[in-house]
Amino acid sequence: MRIADFFKSIHFKMITIFMLLIFIALQVIGVYFTGELESQLEENHRDMIIERADLLEYNVRQELTRDRDEEEEPLEDDIADLLQEFFSIDNSEAQVIGPNQQVLGTSDWNEQDIVGQQSTSVRVERALLGSSDDKIVKDRTGNRMLVVTQSIEDNGDILGAIYIEASMGSIYSEMNEINSIFFKGALIALAITAVLGILLSQTITKPIVDMRKQAKVMREGDFSRRVRVYGQDEIGQLAESFNSLTMNLKEANAMTEGERKKLSSVLTHMTDGVIATDELGRIILMNKRAEQLLNVNSNRIMGASLPEMLHLSETVAPSDLYDYSDSILLDFSDENEAFLLEANFSVIRNEEGPVNGLITVLHDVTEKETIERERREFVANVSHELRTPLTTMRSYLEALEDGAMEDENLGPRFLQVTQNETERMIRLVNDLLQLSKMDSDDLKITFETVDLGALLHQISERFEMITKDKNIRFSKDIPIHPIYVDMDKDKMMQVFDNIVSNAVKYSPDGGTITIQVIARTKAIDIEISDEGVGIPKDSQPRVFDRFYRVDKARARNLGGTGLGLSIAKELVESHDGYISVDSEWQKGTTVSVTLPYSVHEKAGVSE
């Protein structure tokens, strides 16, 4: 793997470039040099052969034109001597041809048998016609030969011709040796270039490799490393710029990371849910609060459609949410409890650019809406509760003003009604004031250790005296031994008075009210039961709500304000207790109050 990486590296590429440049330069020089040298050698060889041919032609012409004695050597011997004098060259042959194409002599001793024979060469025929020629040709063995033909003229007459074949082998052998020397020199130059390329390329590649390593560690988030600056050339300036870039990236990354942590902390600890989507309405971000409100896992719903997640897919498309400037109330309520969310949408958009996404902020408004609903109901109930007695009083006062006061029977009765309605409004106002103190934590509770059994006996005896006319019987199942409870006696007496009073109001004549005390391990239960009409199952969870009445007309006629059980619940819970109701329609109702034992009582039990 490392060898493959080396061949892909800039180091190898630079060495290859250096060697290719030198190789190409040597090739260009070699081709030009050898070409020119070969041409020059061929030209020199041709000039030499032609020069000797001219000398031979001159001397042969002299021999052919002079008068010869009978005692002299034959013409062929003189021509042979001239050929040996001028053309004793290796691998060369010169022939002198007469006007009738008869070979008069040859320089090749091995070819003397052709003397006197007819020459069949076309070039000789052209030379006898007055045409001279020189040309390089290949013989039957493939060797290149310089062929020179030259006519022998005297005053316009053709006396004969000279035919020369000079081998070029020595020239090309010499060229081959020169090429071999040049090739060896090129290999030596390339080897030296490779070594120098390795050494010189390191001065360039080493800083680049260092910057590559720096870029790799920067990619992994490490900005502490610095690139070494080897000089002030362009690469050194690049290294300095790279170090400056590293510092800037380090600062920018630290700033970005800090902002990211701040944003992450803000999103994590926000009491509102935040959801971010892309331009297509697909979820790309969700904080923990949004997961809790929607009861989902962000890792599983990434990429899901926002309208589908908010149960709006049937009526709203993702693009429609960009136009929502007002909040949307989302109802996630089920059969067991109400759950309402308020959604606000904000568009993510570049400055004067297209929409990039959407930010949705979810806020749990269940309690807010519940409080608002209860506030409206409370105002309506208070208005209704006050309007009814005030309307009654106004009617009776108008009747008294119109003359009913003079009537001995109607006057006192009308005054009694106005007095009852006044007392009813006073009770209502007092109850409202007490609830207001409870809501503002302004209610003062003074604890003292009280014998619960004695308190219940006292309350039941008082109501027995009050209810003699209705012939209501009280059944008490209260332990004989003292039962101590830490309580505010007046407040708890108000609680039991309210419960027993309701039992008396709704009990039929001759009915029985049972007061039972049940000792538990850590607390004590007080159950007060009657034999009245009871409470329907669907109304039982709401009997402790303010102004709630099962039978509004009857309760109002009996003088109830609808706040008694609400006050009782607040007072019991302020004593760390619990109050509940259990009723069966047409059979009766049982109200249970659970209070913790007194510390003294616990000590007495342990002893």
Side-chain angles (χ1 to χ4, degrees):
M1 187 65 183
R2 293 182 178 177
I3 296 176
D5 291 340
F6 171 75
F7 286 112
K8 296 179 182 178
S9 65
I10 189 173
H11 193 72
F12 173 76
K13 292 178 181 178
M14 293 190 68
I15 296 172
T16 304
I17 291 172
F18 288 154
M19 295 185 67
L20 286 175
L21 289 175
I22 295 299
F23 179 75
I24 293 172
L26 290 174
Q27 287 296 314
V28 173
I29 294 172
V31 170
Y32 177 78
F33 174 74
T34 56
E36 290 295 319
L37 180 60
E38 182 177 349
S39 299
Q40 188 65 39
L41 290 176
E42 289 177 351
E43 187 66 25
N44 291 340
H45 191 67
R46 180 185 289 108
D47 292 343
M48 181 194 71
I49 296 299
I50 292 175
E51 183 180 353
R52 291 195 178 193
D54 289 341
L55 290 173
L56 179 62
E57 185 268 339
Y58 174 77
N59 286 282
V60 170
R61 186 174 67 244
Q62 294 299 323
E63 291 294 333
L64 291 175
T65 57
R66 74 181 178 84
D67 296 330
R68 305 184 66 83
D69 295 334
E70 294 180 357
E71 296 179 356
E72 289 182 306
E73 295 181 353
L75 177 62
E76 288 79 2
D77 293 340
D78 291 338
I79 290 176
D81 292 339
L82 290 174
L83 290 172
Q84 292 298 321
E85 180 181 355
F86 292 107
F87 276 96
S88 57
I89 304 173
D90 294 336
N91 298 322
S92 298
E93 180 184 2
Q95 296 178 3
V96 177
I97 313 297
N100 56 357
Q101 295 188 8
Q102 182 182 3
V103 178
L104 299 177
T106 178
S107 62
D108 188 357
W109 288 103
N110 297 322
E111 297 288 337
Q112 292 298 320
D113 56 344
I114 67 172
V115 176
Q117 297 182 5
Q118 291 292 112
S119 176
T120 59
S121 174
V122 178
R123 290 186 176 85
V124 172
E125 292 179 359
R126 288 199 294 265
L128 292 175
L129 295 175
S131 175
S132 298
D133 187 20
D134 62 273
K135 191 173 184 180
I136 297 176
V137 298
K138 288 185 178 181
D139 61 8
R140 287 173 296 180
T141 61
N143 295 323
R144 282 179 287 186
M145 307 287 291
L146 175 61
V147 178
V148 179
T149 57
Q150 187 173 346
S151 60
I152 303 173
E153 297 182 10
D154 182 33
N155 296 324
D157 297 329
I158 303 298
L159 303 177
I162 295 174
Y163 179 78
I164 301 171
E165 289 184 356
S167 175
M168 304 287 288
S170 61
I171 294 175
Y172 295 114
S173 297
E174 186 178 354
M175 287 302 303
N176 289 334
E177 291 180 3
I178 292 174
N179 287 334
S180 177
I181 294 171
F182 191 83
F183 179 72
K184 293 177 182 178
L187 290 179
I188 295 172
L190 288 175
I192 295 173
T193 301
V195 174
L196 292 177
I198 293 172
L199 298 176
L200 293 176
S201 63
Q202 285 183 347
T203 60
I204 299 175
T205 59
K206 191 172 182 179
I208 295 176
V209 170
D210 196 13
M211 283 186 277
R212 181 182 65 84
K213 293 179 180 178
Q214 171 67 5
K216 186 175 180 180
V217 298
M218 286 171 60
R219 182 183 63 186
E220 296 172 354
D222 183 6
F223 299 95
S224 60
R225 192 174 181 272
R226 295 291 178 272
V227 177
R228 182 179 176 182
V229 180
Y230 292 91
Q232 293 302 317
D233 55 0
E234 288 82 356
I235 296 180
Q237 295 174 5
L238 177 61
E240 291 179 351
S241 300
F242 202 86
N243 288 334
S244 300
L245 175 63
T246 302
M247 289 297 298
N248 294 336
L249 285 176
K250 182 178 181 180
E251 294 175 359
N253 185 69
M255 184 178 298
T256 303
E257 185 65 19
E259 294 298 325
R260 188 191 67 80
K261 289 182 178 178
K262 290 179 183 177
L263 179 59
S264 177
S265 178
V266 169
L267 289 176
T268 301
H269 296 91
M270 281 183 67
T271 57
D272 294 338
V274 177
I275 303 175
T277 67
D278 58 13
E279 65 277 8
L280 299 178
R282 295 174 299 197
I283 297 174
I284 58 176
L285 175 67
M286 176 181 288
N287 69 346
K288 292 293 183 183
R289 181 55 178 163
E291 293 182 22
Q292 296 171 358
L293 292 175
L294 298 178
N295 193 25
V296 295
N297 188 324
S298 60
N299 296 326
R300 296 182 179 178
I301 54 91
M302 284 299 168
S305 173
L306 179 62
E308 182 179 351
M309 189 58 55
L310 299 181
H311 299 174
L312 297 173
S313 57
E314 296 181 358
T315 57
V316 177
S319 57
D320 296 336
L321 297 176
Y322 299 145
D323 301 326
Y324 275 87
S325 57
D326 297 331
S327 60
I328 298 178
L329 190 64
L330 308 174
D331 190 356
F332 288 86
S333 304
D334 55 21
E335 297 178 355
N336 297 323
E337 61 178 346
F339 186 40
L340 301 175
L341 294 179
E342 184 181 72
N344 293 277
F345 303 98
S346 176
V347 176
I348 305 174
R349 184 196 305 269
N350 291 335
E351 186 175 356
E352 298 181 357
V355 173
N356 293 332
L358 192 70
I359 295 292
T360 304
V361 180
L362 301 176
H363 181 61
D364 185 0
V365 294
T366 304
E367 184 177 358
K368 174 184 175 182
E369 291 295 322
T370 302
I371 292 174
E372 182 64 22
R373 176 177 55 80
E374 291 179 350
R375 183 190 66 79
R376 291 193 297 268
E377 291 179 356
F378 180 79
V379 171
N381 288 328
V382 169
S383 301
H384 183 72
E385 293 296 333
L386 290 176
R387 183 178 64 233
T388 300
L390 287 173
T391 301
T392 301
M393 289 176 61
R394 184 180 65 180
S395 300
Y396 279 89
L397 289 174
E398 288 177 352
L400 290 172
E401 184 179 8
D402 291 339
M405 179 68 72
E406 305 299 332
D407 191 325
E408 295 180 356
N409 295 324
L410 292 178
R413 187 157 59 88
F414 283 8
L415 287 176
Q416 182 64 40
V417 171
T418 57
Q419 183 178 359
N420 292 338
E421 294 298 328
T422 302
E423 291 177 353
R424 178 181 169 189
M425 287 191 293
I426 292 173
R427 287 197 303 272
L428 176 62
V429 172
N430 289 334
D431 289 344
L432 290 173
L433 289 174
Q434 189 170 7
L435 285 173
S436 176
K437 290 182 180 181
M438 293 177 181
D439 292 338
S440 62
D441 295 331
D442 195 27
L443 183 66
K444 294 181 179 180
I445 304 294
T446 304
F447 285 94
E448 58 178 307
T449 303
V450 178
D451 183 356
L452 181 61
L455 179 64
L456 293 175
H457 279 293
Q458 179 183 349
I459 294 172
S460 64
E461 290 173 357
R462 177 157 48 84
F463 274 95
E464 284 176 352
M465 296 294 296
I466 297 174
T467 59
K468 284 183 177 180
D469 295 340
K470 295 185 66 175
N471 194 25
I472 294 176
R473 188 174 65 88
F474 280 82
S475 174
K476 292 173 282 186
D477 184 6
I478 302 174
I480 301 175
H481 62 80
I483 302 172
Y484 294 106
V485 175
D486 289 336
M487 65 171 70
D488 187 318
K489 185 176 181 180
D490 292 337
K491 300 294 189 297
M492 288 308 301
M493 185 174 289
Q494 180 183 353
V495 171
F496 293 123
D497 280 349
N498 186 277
I499 296 172
V500 175
S501 175
N502 286 338
V504 170
K505 289 178 184 177
Y506 295 102
S507 291
D509 291 342
T512 301
I513 296 176
T514 303
I515 301 176
Q516 184 179 13
V517 176
I518 303 172
R520 306 290 184 189
T521 303
K522 297 181 179 180
I524 188 164
D525 293 342
I526 303 97
E527 295 182 354
I528 300 175
S529 304
D530 61 51
E531 297 176 348
V533 294
I535 303 173
K537 288 291 185 184
D538 58 344
S539 299
Q540 291 180 22
R542 299 192 59 190
V543 294
F544 296 104
D545 293 348
R546 297 176 184 182
F547 292 108
Y548 183 79
R549 297 187 180 92
V550 178
D551 186 350
K552 295 180 174 58
R554 183 181 179 191
R556 190 172 290 111
N557 292 333
L558 294 174
T561 62
L563 298 174
L565 288 178
S566 298
I567 296 174
K569 180 182 178 182
E570 297 281 350
L571 292 175
V572 170
E573 290 178 351
S574 67
H575 285 74
D576 296 328
Y578 177 77
I579 186 171
S580 63
V581 63
D582 183 23
S583 180
E584 188 174 352
W585 183 246
Q586 299 296 338
K587 290 187 177 180
T589 302
T590 299
V591 178
S592 300
V593 177
T594 301
L595 295 173
Y597 281 113
S598 168
V599 177
H600 300 85
E601 176 72 13
K602 291 181 181 179
V605 171
S606 62
E607 291 175 358

